[in-house]
Amino acid sequence: MADAYAGRRERLREHCSAAGSDAALITRPANVRYLTGCAPCGATLLLTRDRALLALPDDLPPDDTGEHLIAPEVTQVPVPAGADTALAAADAAARLRVTALAVEEHDLTVSRHRAVAGTAKGVRLAELGPVVESLRVVKDEHEIGDLRIAAEIADQALGELLESILVGRTERHLAMELERRMIDHGADRAAFPVSVGTGSHSGQPAHQPTDRRVEEGDFLTVVLGAQYRGYRVSTARTFVIGAAPAPWQVELHRLVFRAQRAGREALGPGVEQCVPDRAARQLLEAAGYTEASPHPVGHGIGLEIREAPRLGPSDMGKLDSRVPVTVGPGVHIPGKGGVRIEDTLVVRPLEEGGPELLTITTKELLAL
Amino acid sequence: MADAYAGRRERLREHCSAAGSDAALITRPANVRYLTGCAPCGATLLLTRDRALLALPDDLPPDDTGEHLIAPEVTQVPVPAGADTALAAADAAARLRVTALAVEEHDLTVSRHRAVAGTAKGVRLAELGPVVESLRVVKDEHEIGDLRIAAEIADQALGELLESILVGRTERHLAMELERRMIDHGADRAAFPVSVGTGSHSGQPAHQPTDRRVEEGDFLTVVLGAQYRGYRVSTARTFVIGAAPAPWQVELHRLVFRAQRAGREALGPGVEQCVPDRAARQLLEAAGYTEASPHPVGHGIGLEIREAPRLGPSDMGKLDSRVPVTVGPGVHIPGKGGVRIEDTLVVRPLEEGGPELLTITTKELLAL
């Protein structure tokens, strides 16, 4: 793995060099982690032509979860707690006689950029842009292995919940329990706050769990994901509570199930990013469900829960092999409820069996 | 309460006006919340001389936790999901013929600032600085009431934990349980991830819970806090597991206890910010515990877990009445463990009884 990090840093160096910068200042946590294998809170990476310096707070617990183990070719620069590591790195850049330093203008605030400029005396600041984000889009098999484990953890937690009694429990309790179970199964943490929506709350994309209790006849939508070694997945399922779903529930679930399958099946290397969205949306719109401002059917996923590429109706780029994405359409009928079904998959060519499904919990309309 | 928000916005208007701006663009979530009473994720407030516009994503669940209830004098501007609300607000500023728009350069990234400038055509951008943060320092009695409830919730969760069996349970489990209990008792959520450190992990300021199990004879340090209606508190306690603490444990606990008391007792209106830190540090240093890079003994607390004022050894400003702060010194002996004791208090004059202690769990060395 140390080689993988060194390879990533080398690609970033090549990019900087081609763009006329002799060093890069990396402040975005997911990018620091991608390039060093560790991301202690508030660390900054300075990457010059021949060195990699990681400025990090000096009060990190040494015997922590192992996240801070740093490859020997990365030099640690301890910074007093409370001080800005970006300034320590900028100071090092000046002392190393860097000429042009590319910074992440999409991550640095205006104030912090000004402080970096003031500290890096004699150094010209340039804009790096989302270069590390681009490097992160296609994953290697180690990264996909971590995503696979994250998906297994989420599936396990969800499977256990389905076996328990749900009627009478609140959305908040169910969400907390899912988070606890994921940690029990080895997750670093939940990839994002678990969403549980019942009855009229079901099917909403970003519902915050409330004290509403699960009742007979409810739709129950769960959106959850685990983080494992920094890598995150997301999955959503909708079930019905009680013996038999109502006809409208069966129909709505079948529709969203078909739309999600159409979206998944459209994934492939060389496919335009808007195609899976269109495949899913077409079915929903034919059934009369149109969105005023269309939500993308999915997005890339990895060290961040939402990263490039975006799978929206007007996204024009093409998908590559080994890009993990979510596909998760849904319908919400105000006051009534709805259905959301989401998976995390890896784009693969047909020769490799097509899209690799990571989150394998059944998408059938279970009656719980 | 609507009056309180209107009053806060009026004070911000006065500041802008004095600084030559006719409008402010507020993007920092805690500041948006302070000025409107609500902070849907990603909202931006545009405050002109006579209007308050809140640009917010159009896919907010309407029947959520009630956080999104917006005062009638604040006009909502729905923005398509995924779009930047700051740009919608900047566009509104241009259409309202704002001349000089003060922005939060400590919150906007360089890229976002550039996009705001590009959208707000004909509008000059100015720097607002941390003005809203300054307004937030002294709390009103409503805010202190919310902090008091947040402290009660944290105390209740901690009290229940102390009554349960601890030996054999992991740090991660105990931390999860404390978070769940705080939510059960009515917290919005944990104010920050709960830290539980046992044995050699005890006494560390930012220890991430591990799978280490609590053993007989361990020190156990718990750092926790609840959030209630957006307001946060923080508290830390250290206990010993088993029948009788070792002499070194008794001695170290007594020392930190005395240092923390000295810090608390030094709080008062008109007192320099460095004084409580000095009072606590003096005792620790006299006993031979010096820090290479001194951590402030505490900091302001409210809508953010760490806000102004800072109580560090070189902080020169003066404390005001009704400023909630933390006081939490600690000692960690590498490989052995340590003690941390922290409270959230409100600075009050002697006539009002002196510092008001919000987190009231006992600071005695309990043997659990």
Side-chain angles (χ1 to χ4, degrees):
Chain A
M1 271 314 288
D3 282 358
Y5 298 119
R8 294 168 186 175
R9 292 195 297 271
E10 211 42 50
R11 284 195 287 284
L12 176 56
R13 282 192 177 106
E14 282 160 19
H15 179 94
C16 283
S17 188
S21 297
D22 51 345
L25 188 82
I26 307 298
T27 44
R28 194 171 172 98
N31 293 343
V32 173
R33 182 161 193 156
Y34 183 74
L35 296 167
T36 64
C38 71
C41 196
T44 298
L45 174 69
L46 173 69
L47 193 69
T48 68
R49 286 205 178 115
D50 52 0
R51 301 184 68 167
L53 301 182
L54 188 66
L56 71 185
D58 69 357
D59 64 340
L60 292 175
D63 49 354
D64 210 313
T65 54
E67 265 193 37
H68 309 137
L69 295 172
I70 293 165
E73 70 273 19
V74 177
T75 310
Q76 295 186 44
V77 180
V79 175
D84 185 347
T85 58
L87 299 189
D91 182 59
R95 282 186 288 102
L96 292 169
R97 299 183 186 282
V98 164
T99 318
L101 179 64
V103 304
E104 299 190 287
E105 294 190 354
H106 58 296
D107 184 71
L108 285 181
T109 64
V110 175
S111 310
R112 216 172 163 208
H113 187 273
R114 190 184 300 127
V116 165
T119 303
K121 289 198 200 310
V123 180
R124 184 169 56 80
L125 297 196
E127 153 73 316
L128 179 63
V131 168
V132 185
E133 283 83 350
S134 306
L135 295 177
R136 282 168 41 202
V137 171
V138 174
K139 270 70 172 176
D140 66 30
E141 293 299 340
H142 273 111
E143 296 180 278
I144 293 173
D146 287 344
L147 285 166
R148 221 175 264 134
I149 296 173
E152 275 173 26
I153 292 169
D155 279 325
Q156 278 178 315
L158 185 55
E160 288 169 2
L161 189 81
L162 299 186
E163 288 170 14
S164 63
I165 304 291
L166 299 173
V167 171
R169 296 171 71 193
T170 69
E171 294 173 354
R172 301 227 288 182
H173 264 101
L174 294 175
M176 283 296 294
E177 183 169 331
L178 283 164
E179 294 191 9
R180 184 181 60 73
R181 285 185 186 276
M182 288 195 286
I183 288 171
D184 282 354
H185 287 298
D188 307 337
R189 58 180 64 87
F192 53 88
V194 170
S195 168
V196 174
T198 65
S200 65
H201 300 157
S202 58
Q204 284 180 348
H207 174 67
Q208 280 187 34
T210 69
D211 289 326
R212 188 186 187 287
R213 289 177 194 277
V214 176
E215 294 173 14
E216 285 282 331
D218 274 357
F219 261 145
L220 173 75
T221 300
V222 178
V223 188
L224 81 165
Q227 177 185 317
Y228 180 74
R229 288 197 204 151
Y231 285 87
R232 303 171 190 212
V233 296
S234 179
T235 183
R237 293 290 184 268
T238 301
F239 307 105
V240 74
I241 305 297
W248 75 273
Q249 291 178 318
V250 173
E251 194 184 328
L252 192 61
H253 190 276
R254 186 173 296 158
L255 174 69
V256 176
F257 177 89
R258 283 173 53 225
Q260 202 260 353
R261 186 177 58 195
R264 278 190 284 133
E265 291 179 350
L267 292 173
V271 169
E272 269 194 302
Q273 286 162 233
C274 57
V275 169
D277 182 280
R278 201 175 301 151
R281 191 174 304 276
Q282 221 158 259
L283 289 168
L284 299 180
E285 290 185 348
Y289 298 104
T290 50
E291 290 179 298
S293 65
H295 289 65
V297 80
H299 48 76
I301 191 164
L303 288 172
E304 292 179 284
I305 195 65
R306 223 172 255 271
E307 51 180 61
R310 203 171 70 143
L311 307 186
S314 52
D315 293 308
M316 307 293 282
K318 288 197 172 146
L319 290 169
D320 279 312
S321 194
R322 288 192 281 123
V323 175
V325 295
T326 64
V327 174
V331 167
H332 174 74
I333 306 169
K336 199 165 175 189
V339 177
R340 185 157 297 270
I341 301 177
E342 182 189 55
D343 283 312
T344 298
L345 307 99
V346 183
V347 177
R348 302 270 192 192
L350 281 177
E351 311 86 83
E352 295 178 15
E356 178 187 350
L357 182 68
L358 299 187
T359 47
I360 60 169
T361 296
T362 182
K363 287 181 275 282
E364 297 293 309
L365 178 56
L366 297 184
L368 304 173
Chain B
M1 270 312 289
D3 282 359
Y5 299 118
R8 293 168 187 175
R9 291 194 297 270
E10 211 40 52
R11 283 196 288 284
L12 176 56
R13 282 194 177 102
E14 284 160 17
H15 177 94
C16 283
S17 187
S21 299
D22 51 346
L25 188 81
I26 306 298
T27 46
R28 196 172 170 98
N31 292 345
V32 172
R33 183 163 192 151
Y34 182 73
L35 295 167
T36 64
C38 72
C41 194
T44 297
L45 174 69
L46 173 68
L47 193 70
T48 68
R49 287 203 177 116
D50 52 2
R51 301 184 67 169
L53 300 182
L54 187 65
L56 73 181
D58 68 358
D59 63 341
L60 292 175
D63 48 354
D64 211 315
T65 53
E67 265 193 36
H68 309 139
L69 294 173
I70 294 165
E73 70 273 20
V74 177
T75 310
Q76 295 186 42
V77 180
V79 176
D84 185 347
T85 58
L87 300 189
D91 182 58
R95 281 186 289 103
L96 292 170
R97 299 183 186 281
V98 164
T99 319
L101 178 64
V103 303
E104 298 190 288
E105 295 191 353
H106 57 297
D107 183 70
L108 284 181
T109 64
V110 175
S111 310
R112 217 172 162 208
H113 187 273
R114 191 185 300 130
V116 165
T119 302
K121 291 200 198 311
V123 179
R124 184 170 55 81
L125 296 195
E127 154 74 315
L128 178 64
V131 169
V132 185
E133 283 83 350
S134 308
L135 295 178
R136 283 168 40 202
V137 170
V138 175
K139 270 70 174 176
D140 65 32
E141 293 298 342
H142 273 111
E143 296 180 279
I144 294 173
D146 287 343
L147 285 165
R148 222 176 264 135
I149 296 174
E152 274 173 28
I153 292 170
D155 278 325
Q156 276 177 316
L158 185 55
E160 289 167 3
L161 190 81
L162 299 185
E163 287 171 14
S164 63
I165 305 289
L166 299 172
V167 172
R169 296 171 71 194
T170 69
E171 293 173 354
R172 302 226 288 180
H173 264 103
L174 295 175
M176 282 295 295
E177 183 168 332
L178 283 165
E179 294 191 10
R180 184 180 59 75
R181 285 184 187 278
M182 288 195 286
I183 288 173
D184 282 352
H185 287 299
D188 306 335
R189 57 181 64 88
F192 52 88
V194 169
S195 169
V196 174
T198 64
S200 64
H201 299 159
S202 58
Q204 286 179 349
H207 174 67
Q208 278 188 34
T210 70
D211 290 325
R212 190 186 186 287
R213 288 177 194 279
V214 175
E215 294 172 16
E216 284 283 331
D218 275 355
F219 260 146
L220 174 76
T221 300
V222 178
V223 188
L224 81 165
Q227 178 186 315
Y228 181 75
R229 289 197 202 151
Y231 284 86
R232 303 168 189 216
V233 297
S234 179
T235 181
R237 295 290 184 268
T238 301
F239 306 105
V240 74
I241 305 296
W248 75 271
Q249 291 177 319
V250 174
E251 194 184 327
L252 192 61
H253 190 277
R254 186 173 297 156
L255 174 68
V256 176
F257 177 91
R258 284 175 50 228
Q260 203 261 353
R261 186 177 57 197
R264 277 187 286 133
E265 290 179 349
L267 292 173
V271 170
E272 269 195 303
Q273 287 162 233
C274 58
V275 168
D277 182 281
R278 199 177 299 151
R281 191 175 302 279
Q282 218 159 258
L283 288 168
L284 299 180
E285 289 185 349
Y289 298 104
T290 49
E291 289 178 299
S293 65
H295 290 65
V297 80
H299 49 77
I301 191 163
L303 287 172
E304 292 179 284
I305 195 66
R306 222 171 256 272
E307 52 179 63
R310 205 171 70 144
L311 306 186
S314 51
D315 293 306
M316 306 294 282
K318 286 193 172 151
L319 290 169
D320 280 312
S321 194
R322 289 192 283 122
V323 175
V325 296
T326 65
V327 175
V331 168
H332 174 74
I333 307 170
K336 201 167 177 188
V339 176
R340 186 157 295 272
I341 301 175
E342 183 189 54
D343 283 313
T344 297
L345 307 99
V346 182
V347 176
R348 302 269 192 193
L350 281 177
E351 310 86 84
E352 296 178 14
E356 177 187 350
L357 183 66
L358 299 187
T359 48
I360 60 168
T361 295
T362 181
K363 288 180 274 283
E364 298 292 309
L365 179 54
L366 298 185
L368 304 174

